[in-house]
């Protein structure tokens, strides 16, 4: 049987009545109006008290020397071997821009860890560059960047202010410009000459830790290339103060360029330091040789020496030039080798370049070594020594360093052999010179030493000048394409989107609540829902009545409830058309107690009586009699007394009410201990036989079928059953009971009556159209 019932439900649920589904929600239109109103008010308050954010953007070009990122003047120096080329990786440069060191430097330069806040009528707001006072710390040491504190400055007049705590507890009074000693260092409070000072102005000074500020800006600032193949990079930042965001982005680019210039100049500075060191040493040697020559000439009184033969002097001169050049190169190779060998692994630094141009392999190795050192320094800005990339570059540096040391040692040995050969050649030439006085030979040796030292000194001076030019022409890494700029229109919160979202939320939230409530609701509410659950014929529904009258139907009654009983009376005629007997017995039952059986019974009987029929209303709910209680009458003898007392006649039990003519009533009587057994007696059959001969309609109020068997025992006396279901009360799952009784035909000619429906949720035209005029004020109609 349950399978048949479930199959009936499936058949009924195949189609969806869209209008019906919509009306489920439209009936609660006030919820949607209230939801939209509250959401719009919430959106208004949110927009009023939320600090707007402004988008600021700047664009820079990361220069690439190999792609034409430098001027023709710089290319000229590159051709001279003064500047080396570089090919920046845009992704690496982006990471450097976003590094903590660069962001921290920009924040320090702008003193953004010190914020000034003033109170307005609605909320507090930052006054970047518009604060009437400025706090100037005398020594901005690490303590200032680690402290997290807030204090208030109360400006009394143009010369005096009070220093207060965060909670405005006044501690000290000072003069503007006076030096104040505090736990965070010495500072002065100065007037901002660009702003108008007003007396009794309060300014809250908030000092934030630099590390926390750096973390905040790392998350907020966005650095990204325009596309994968471009070196143009966009820097964007959203901030509550547009001017502050513009200053920060400009300062960030400046800090990055400054760091890049310092990085580029590291090699040139190292070269300059090395050359200066060698110049100082060689300068002393050259001075010593010059003094030695002067002393020799003075001691030997030499003013002029006759020239040797032209050929011998020329050969000797050429050989001397080679000795000077070889000695110079040997000296520089030794110095580079010692510098490289003595450098510890954790203190590796750039090597001087272009000092040994004759040996191409050494020059290339030095360039490669410097490039690796530069890459390692860049990585160490965002990583540590244990980083895999840092370890890999360190390994490469060690390999290049080892190879370079070997090359320098090889070059050193080669130059030493060459110098030794040239010195032997010089000795041979000197031995050939005959007749040259000993003093002249000694003079020649001193001059040779002088020329060697002077040549080396001159070479180093030239290199020093070239290095100075390199330092002077170093350009920034980034070219600013667009200065930082932000629109006056905030990017968030977006007013239109917020209001649209509020509108949708105001509509969606009530819808979700109603949907969930309907989803969890297992009660029957209206005719449509009832017909989806059962296949039993529907007799009519009775809307809820606001009247306090027990009997709602009368000759002059025009309420929707009265009209519903008239409609049920008409439908009863159709239901009982096939019954040949003149007298009809109508039984009224329900699934559980509290569904309004007695109310339906009394008013159905009254409606039949109003049609001129003779009607008897009989209470057969022996366990919980309700008719007399419902009518407000004292307990009377009834059916129980008739069955137990054979001397009683049913006419002795009849009573009437003044409101309805042609209506007789027999109550249930006293509550017996054995109702079921009483109903099975012969007296019950005699009672129904007697009353059917006398009355046109016998309306019987019986017990609920889900609780007791009394009603099933009496079913044989019924011509039809009115099965009452109370709206908003009965669980849908209990409808299996009437459906089963209908399928198994345990109750004859059964029809459903839906009681206590909500007129506002009754789909269709409803009842009492035109008869009931709502004369309440409009505001009560809306909020009822």
């Amino acid at each position: 049987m349950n399978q048949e019932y479930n199959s009936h439900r499936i058949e009924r649920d195949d189609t969806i009545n869209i209008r019906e589904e919509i009306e489920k929600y439209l009936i609660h239109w006030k919820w949607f109006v209230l939801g939209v109103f509250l959401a719009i008010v919430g959106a208004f308050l949110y927009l009023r008290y939320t600090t707007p954010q402004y988008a600021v953007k700047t664009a820079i070009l990361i220069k690439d020397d190999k792609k034409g990122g430098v001027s023709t003047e710089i290319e000229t120096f590159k051709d001279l071997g003064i500047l080396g080329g570089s090919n920046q990786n845009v992704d690496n440069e982006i990471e450097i821009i976003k590094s903590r060191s660069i962001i921290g430097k920009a924040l320090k330069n702008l003193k953004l860890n010190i914020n000034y806040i003033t109170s307005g009528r609605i909320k507090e707001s930052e006054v970047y560059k518009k604060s009437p006072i400025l706090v100037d710390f005398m020594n901005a040491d690490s303590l200032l960047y680690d402290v997290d504190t807030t204090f208030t400055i109360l400006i009394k007049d143009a010369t005096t202010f009070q220093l207060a705590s965060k909670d405005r507890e006044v501690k000290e009074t000072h003069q503007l410009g006076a030096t104040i000693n505090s736990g965070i260092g010495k500072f002065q409070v100065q007037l901002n000459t660009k702003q108008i000072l007003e007396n009794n102005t309060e300014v809250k000074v908030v000092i934030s830790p630099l590390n926390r500020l750096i973390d905040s800006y790392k998350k907020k600032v966005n650095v990204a290339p325009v596309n994968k193949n471009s070196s143009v990079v966009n820097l964007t930042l959203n901030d509550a103060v547009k001017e502050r965001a513009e200053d920060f982005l400009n300062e960030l680019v400046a800090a990055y360029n400054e760091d890049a210039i310092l990085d580029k100049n590291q090699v040139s500075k190292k070269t300059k330091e090395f050359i200066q060191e060698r110049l100082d040493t060689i300068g002393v040697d050259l001075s010593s040789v010059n003094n030695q020559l002067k002393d020799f000439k003075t001691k030997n009184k030499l003013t002029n020496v006759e020239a040797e033969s032209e050929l011998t002097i020329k050969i000797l001169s050429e050989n001397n030039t080679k000795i000077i050049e070889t000695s110079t190169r040997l000296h520089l190779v030794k110095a580079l080798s010692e510098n490289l060998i003595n450098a510890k692994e954790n203190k590796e630094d750039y090597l001087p370049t272009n000092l040994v141009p004759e040996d191409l392999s050494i020059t290339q190795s030095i360039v490669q070594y410097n490039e690796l050192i530069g890459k390692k320094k860049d990585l160490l800005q965002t990583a540590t020594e244990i980083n895999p990339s840092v370890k890999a570059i360190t390994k490469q540096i060690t390999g290049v360093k080892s190879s370079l040391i070997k090359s320098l040692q090889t070059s050193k040995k080669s130059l030493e052999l060459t110098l030794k050969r040239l010195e032997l050649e010089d000795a041979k030439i000197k031995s050939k010179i005959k007749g040259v006085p000993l003093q002249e030979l000694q003079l020649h040796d001193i001059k040779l030493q002088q020329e060697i030292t002077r040549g080396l000194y001159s070479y180093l001076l030239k290199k020093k000048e070239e290095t100075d030019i390199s330092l002077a022409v170093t350009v920034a890494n980034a070219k600013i394409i667009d200065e930082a700029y932000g629109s006056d229109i905030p990017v968030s919160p977006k007013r239109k989107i917020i209001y649209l979202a509020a509108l949708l939320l105001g509509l969606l939230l009530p819808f979700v609540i109603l949907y969930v409530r309907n989803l969890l609701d297992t009660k029957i509410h209206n005719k449509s829902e009832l017909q989806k659950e059962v296949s039993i014929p529907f007799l009519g529904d009775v809307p809820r009545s606001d009247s306090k009258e027990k009997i709602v139907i009368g000759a002059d009654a025009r309420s929707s409830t009265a009209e519903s009983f008239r409609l049920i009376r008409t439908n009863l005629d159709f239901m009982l058309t096939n019954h040949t007997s003149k007298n009809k017995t109508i039984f009224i039952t329900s699934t559980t107690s509290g569904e309004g059986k007695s109310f339906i019974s009394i008013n159905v009987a009254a409606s039949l009586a109003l049609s001129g029929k003779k009607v008897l209303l009989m209470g057969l709910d022996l366990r919980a009699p309700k008719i007399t209680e419902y009518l407000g009458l004292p307990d009377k003898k009834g059916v129980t007394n008739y069955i137990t007392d054979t001397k009683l006649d049913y006419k002795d039990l009849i009573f009437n009410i003044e409101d309805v003519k042609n209506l007789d009533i027999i109550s249930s009587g006293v509550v017996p201990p054995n109702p079921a057994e009483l109903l099975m007696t012969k007296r019950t059959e005699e009672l129904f036989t007697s009353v059917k001969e006398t009355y046109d309609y016998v309306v019987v109020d019986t017990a609920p079928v889900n609780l007791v068997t009394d009603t099933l025992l009496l079913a044989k006396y019924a011509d039809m059953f009115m099965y009452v279901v109370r709206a908003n009360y009965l669980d849908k799952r209990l409808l299996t009971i009437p459906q089963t009784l209908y399928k198994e035909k345990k109750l004859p000619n059964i029809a459903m009556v839906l009681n206590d429906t909500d007129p506002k949720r009754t789909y269709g035209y409803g009842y009492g159209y035109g008869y009931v005029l709502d004369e309440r004020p409009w505001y009560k109609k809306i909020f009822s």
Side-chain angles (χ1 to χ4, degrees):
M1 187 60 62
N2 288 335
Q3 291 179 352
E4 293 179 4
Y5 172 66
N6 291 333
S7 65
H8 162 72
R9 291 193 63 191
I10 293 172
E11 291 174 2
R12 297 276 183 153
D13 291 340
D14 282 342
T15 58
I16 298 176
N17 188 329
I18 296 177
R19 177 182 175 181
E20 181 179 322
E21 293 298 321
I22 294 175
E23 287 178 344
K24 284 182 181 180
Y25 299 97
L26 289 181
I27 196 70
H28 300 287
W29 63 270
K30 287 177 285 189
W31 286 34
F32 290 94
V33 172
L34 180 62
V36 170
F37 174 76
L38 293 177
I40 294 298
V41 170
F44 173 77
L45 294 176
Y46 171 79
L47 292 171
R48 185 176 180 85
Y49 291 100
T50 299
T51 303
Q53 296 287 316
Y54 298 89
V56 177
K57 175 182 176 182
T58 184
I60 61 174
L61 171 67
I62 303 295
K63 295 180 181 179
D64 188 346
D65 294 345
K66 293 185 178 180
K67 295 182 180 180
V70 294
S71 64
T72 55
E73 290 81 1
I74 305 302
E75 291 288 350
T76 302
F77 286 115
K78 285 174 60 179
D79 294 339
L80 294 174
I82 298 174
L83 298 176
S86 63
N87 184 20
Q88 291 87 358
N89 184 292
V90 174
D91 293 335
N92 290 339
E93 298 305 315
I94 288 175
E95 291 303 318
I96 293 174
I97 294 174
K98 294 177 65 176
S99 65
R100 296 182 63 84
S101 59
I102 301 298
I103 292 178
K105 186 183 296 185
L107 293 173
K108 281 184 179 181
N109 293 342
L110 294 174
K111 300 179 181 180
L112 292 185
N113 64 314
I114 304 175
N115 293 323
Y116 304 94
I117 300 174
T118 58
S119 300
R121 290 184 301 173
I122 300 176
K123 59 182 178 180
E124 293 184 337
S125 58
E126 283 191 59
V127 281
Y128 177 75
K129 288 186 176 181
K130 296 180 180 179
S131 172
I133 54 95
L134 298 173
V135 178
D136 182 21
F137 283 86
M138 313 302 289
N139 297 313
D141 52 11
S142 59
L143 179 62
L144 177 63
Y145 300 118
D146 293 336
V147 71
D148 184 4
T149 186
T150 301
F151 57 89
T152 304
I153 294 176
L154 308 175
I155 302 172
K156 305 305 294 181
D157 51 47
T159 59
T160 310
F161 73 93
Q162 290 179 336
L163 189 62
S165 64
K166 180 181 179 181
D167 300 326
R168 299 180 59 192
E169 180 183 351
V170 178
K171 295 183 177 181
E172 302 170 353
T173 301
H174 299 278
Q175 295 292 319
L176 289 168
T179 301
I180 302 171
N181 291 318
S182 68
I184 56 176
K186 296 180 180 181
F187 66 89
Q188 293 178 344
V189 178
Q190 305 284 355
L191 288 178
N192 187 352
T193 57
K194 296 181 180 179
Q195 300 296 322
I196 299 175
L197 180 66
E198 296 181 2
N199 295 338
N200 300 319
T201 300
E202 294 185 12
V203 179
K204 185 185 293 184
V205 181
V206 179
I207 302 177
S208 305
L210 185 63
N211 284 330
R212 189 173 69 190
L213 205 59
I214 291 174
D215 292 337
S216 173
Y217 273 85
K218 275 182 68 69
K219 294 177 182 178
K220 292 197 299 182
V221 69
N222 181 41
V223 185
V226 174
N227 56 60
K228 294 181 179 180
N229 300 320
S230 175
S231 296
V232 176
V233 175
N234 286 330
L235 286 77
T236 56
L237 174 64
N238 291 351
D239 196 85
V241 182
K242 184 186 71 170
E243 293 79 7
R244 179 174 60 192
E246 292 174 346
D247 290 346
F248 173 76
L249 288 183
N250 289 331
E251 188 63 31
L252 184 66
V253 174
Y256 165 71
N257 277 333
E258 181 182 349
D259 182 77
I261 291 174
L262 290 175
D263 187 55
K264 287 182 178 181
N265 286 340
Q266 294 248 355
V267 176
S268 298
K269 286 183 177 180
K270 188 68 179 179
T271 302
K272 182 178 179 180
E273 291 173 2
F274 176 82
I275 292 173
Q276 188 61 51
E277 180 185 345
R278 304 314 304 163
L279 281 173
D280 294 340
T281 302
I282 295 171
V284 174
D285 295 340
L286 182 59
S287 177
S288 176
V289 172
N290 290 335
N291 290 332
Q292 184 181 354
L293 178 59
K294 182 183 70 173
D295 293 342
F296 181 82
K297 286 187 174 183
T298 302
K299 180 181 178 181
N300 294 282
K301 298 179 180 180
L302 296 175
T303 57
N304 189 18
V305 181
E306 294 182 358
E308 293 293 327
S309 65
E310 185 176 346
L311 180 60
T312 304
I313 292 175
K314 182 179 180 182
I315 294 173
L316 184 61
S317 176
E318 290 175 354
N319 193 65
N320 288 342
T321 300
K322 292 179 181 179
I323 291 175
I324 293 171
E325 292 176 353
T326 304
S327 298
T328 301
R329 291 174 59 190
L330 179 60
H331 181 86
L332 293 175
V333 168
K334 285 181 179 180
L336 282 173
S337 181
E338 291 173 0
N339 186 294
L340 193 60
I341 293 172
N342 294 334
K344 296 181 179 179
E345 183 177 348
N346 60 346
K347 291 186 178 180
E348 292 168 337
D349 208 342
Y350 295 106
L351 290 176
T353 57
N354 298 325
L355 293 182
V356 193
E358 296 82 2
D359 196 326
L360 185 59
S361 62
I362 293 177
T363 302
Q364 290 177 345
S365 296
I366 291 175
V367 171
Q368 184 182 3
Y369 179 84
N370 287 340
E371 288 178 352
L372 291 173
I373 291 293
K375 289 181 180 178
K376 182 177 179 180
K377 288 180 180 291
D378 289 342
L379 284 175
L380 287 176
Q381 291 189 19
T382 56
T384 61
E385 291 284 353
I386 62 174
N387 186 280
S389 299
V390 176
K391 286 184 175 181
I393 288 186
T394 302
K395 186 176 180 180
Q396 292 181 45
I397 290 173
T398 303
V400 174
K401 178 179 178 181
S402 177
S403 175
L404 185 56
I405 290 174
K406 290 179 181 179
S407 298
L408 288 171
Q409 293 293 340
T410 302
S411 180
K412 175 186 172 185
K413 290 180 181 179
S414 176
L415 290 172
E416 286 176 345
L417 291 174
T418 301
L419 183 60
K420 187 175 181 180
R421 179 178 58 78
L422 291 172
E423 288 175 346
L424 290 174
E425 185 69 23
D426 185 69
K428 290 180 181 180
I429 295 172
K430 289 177 181 178
S431 63
K432 292 180 180 179
I433 301 176
K434 302 296 183 179
V436 178
L438 179 61
Q439 294 89 346
E440 190 65 23
L441 291 175
Q442 292 176 346
L443 180 61
H444 177 270
D445 290 337
I446 294 174
K447 285 185 176 182
L448 177 60
Q449 185 64 33
Q450 183 188 42
E451 290 295 330
I452 292 173
T453 306
R454 185 181 294 165
L456 179 59
Y457 191 82
S458 176
Y459 179 81
L460 290 176
L461 281 177
K462 178 183 176 183
K463 288 298 178 181
K464 182 175 180 297
E465 187 65 24
E466 292 176 354
T467 304
D468 288 338
I469 294 174
S470 176
L471 287 171
V473 298
T474 303
V475 293
N477 235 26
K479 176 184 177 182
I480 299 176
I481 299 176
D482 288 323
E483 292 281 349
Y485 172 77
S487 173
D488 292 331
I489 301 175
V491 294
S492 68
K494 296 185 180 297
R495 301 182 66 86
K496 292 182 180 179
I497 294 179
I498 294 296
Y499 278 121
L500 179 60
L503 177 63
L504 294 177
L505 182 63
L507 293 173
L508 182 63
L509 192 58
F511 174 82
V512 171
I513 293 174
L514 291 172
Y515 176 79
V516 173
R517 192 185 75 165
N518 292 337
L519 197 64
L520 300 177
D521 187 9
T522 59
K523 307 297 183 183
I524 289 293
H525 298 287
N526 51 62
K527 171 184 174 182
S528 176
E529 292 180 0
L530 180 62
Q531 290 180 323
K532 287 181 180 178
E533 301 294 329
V534 297
S535 58
I536 304 171
F538 185 77
L539 194 61
D541 53 355
V542 179
R544 185 181 304 118
S545 174
D546 295 330
S547 174
K548 295 182 180 179
E549 299 293 332
K550 306 299 182 182
I551 302 176
V552 297
I553 186 169
D556 299 325
R558 291 294 180 268
S559 67
S560 60
T561 308
E563 291 298 327
S564 68
F565 280 107
R566 290 188 176 94
L567 181 60
I568 290 174
R569 182 182 64 192
T570 303
N571 291 336
L572 278 174
D573 291 338
F574 288 105
M575 292 288 294
L576 296 171
T577 300
N578 296 329
H579 286 266
T580 57
S581 61
K582 180 180 178 181
N583 309 100
K584 310 294 191 301
T585 306
I586 303 171
F587 278 51
I588 299 176
T589 187
S590 64
T591 306
T592 63
S593 61
E595 295 195 65
K597 287 189 296 80
S598 300
F599 170 73
I600 297 296
S601 300
I602 293 172
N603 282 280
V604 166
S607 66
L608 292 171
L610 287 174
S611 65
K613 303 294 182 180
K614 193 172 183 181
V615 182
L616 172 66
L617 173 62
M618 186 163 52
L620 276 180
D621 187 355
L622 303 184
R623 300 173 188 268
K626 294 290 184 181
I627 290 180
T628 54
E629 179 184 344
Y630 186 80
L631 293 174
L633 301 174
D635 292 337
K636 297 177 179 292
K637 290 183 179 181
V639 175
T640 304
N641 304 92
Y642 175 81
I643 295 174
T644 56
D645 189 355
T646 57
K647 296 179 180 181
L648 281 176
D649 186 71
Y650 79 92
K651 294 180 181 179
D652 299 331
L653 307 175
I654 295 172
F655 65 92
N656 305 99
I657 54 177
E658 297 180 358
D659 296 338
V660 184
K661 296 179 181 180
N662 298 326
L663 176 62
D664 293 339
I665 303 174
I666 300 177
S667 68
S668 301
V670 297
V671 178
N674 54 345
E677 287 73 13
L678 287 179
L679 294 175
M680 294 172 64
T681 61
K682 187 72 173 177
R683 289 282 287 177
T684 304
E685 183 179 355
E686 292 176 359
L687 176 62
F688 276 101
T689 302
S690 300
V691 297
K692 288 183 71 174
E693 291 177 353
T694 306
Y695 294 95
D696 297 320
Y697 289 95
V698 178
V699 179
V700 182
D701 181 16
T702 63
V705 296
N706 190 40
L707 302 178
V708 294
T709 61
D710 299 4
T711 302
L712 297 178
L713 294 174
L714 298 172
K716 59 186 177 181
Y717 304 115
D719 291 324
M720 75 163 292
F721 264 88
M722 291 176 59
Y723 199 100
V724 178
V725 173
R726 186 175 180 179
N728 308 309
Y729 182 82
L730 184 67
D731 195 308
K732 294 178 182 179
R733 292 168 290 185
L734 292 178
L735 289 175
T736 55
I737 295 171
Q739 181 67 24
T740 302
L741 294 174
Y742 175 72
K743 290 291 184 181
E744 296 177 356
K745 299 182 180 180
K746 291 184 178 180
L747 299 180
N749 204 17
I750 187 172
M752 305 295 290
V753 174
L754 186 61
N755 182 33
D756 199 27
T757 59
D758 186 353
K760 297 176 182 178
R761 297 187 63 173
T762 301
Y763 307 120
Y765 293 103
Y767 301 97
Y769 49 89
Y771 293 110
V772 182
L773 180 63
D774 192 348
E775 298 179 349
R776 294 174 299 166
W778 64 271
Y779 56 88
K780 289 188 177 180
K781 295 178 184 178
I782 293 177
F783 296 104
S784 61

